[in-house]
Amino acid sequence: MGSPAVVTSAVVTCPMGAAPATLTVLPTSRVLVEGRPVATVRDMIPLLNIATFGMCMSPANPTVAAATAAALGVLVPMPCVPVLSAPWLPGSAKTLVGGAPATLQSSTCQCAYGGVVQVVVPGATKTMIG
């Protein structure tokens, strides 16, 4: 059995971020599930597909590291701008959308600052993909 389809308005989180974000999927593939565009593994562009997670708490983030150093080692969160360089993995082995594998609820995306972005609410409630 599959999992619910990941569509625009899905909720994603990063353990280094202070707040969840909403996934935005542009309707370029023209494939809709429950009236919303379906996400593919390519829908991982920061600030276009994946919004900010509020404040970043990763010491690997240069702005967090600098602010923390200025505060004599006390962690100082700074505004989050995800740095994602690879697609969502794993993608669906069975479902292609516009020639790319669909994003699964179990898919994750790695941030260069150490966070792992994951889908917590896929958006679709009735449509399953595998």
Side-chain angles (χ1 to χ4, degrees), residues 57-59 64-77:
M57 295 174 268
S58 172
V64 174
T68 300
L72 304 174
V74 177
L75 180 67
V76 178

Side-chain angles (χ1 to χ4, degrees), residues 59-121:
N61 181 330
T63 60
V64 174
T68 300
L72 304 174
V74 177
L75 180 67
V76 178
M78 294 300 289
C80 165
V81 177
V83 177
L84 308 169
S85 58
W88 290 96
L89 295 173
S92 174
K94 298 177 183 177
T95 305
L96 295 179
V97 176
T103 300
L104 302 169
Q105 186 174 6
S106 60
S107 299
T108 61
C109 208
Q110 181 71 44
C111 179
Y113 300 142
V116 178
V117 179
Q118 62 185 14
V119 177
V120 291
V121 179

Side-chain angles (χ1 to χ4, degrees), residues 31-93:
V31 176
L32 304 178
V33 165
E34 297 176 24
R36 292 175 282 179
V38 178
T40 72
V41 295
R42 294 184 274 197
D43 292 317
M44 42 59 76
I45 300 169
L47 306 180
L48 176 65
N49 301 120
I50 299 177
T52 177
F53 294 102
M55 300 297 277
C56 180
M57 295 174 268
S58 172
N61 181 330
T63 60
V64 174
T68 300
L72 304 174
V74 177
L75 180 67
V76 178
M78 294 300 289
C80 165
V81 177
V83 177
L84 308 169
S85 58
W88 290 96
L89 295 173
S92 174

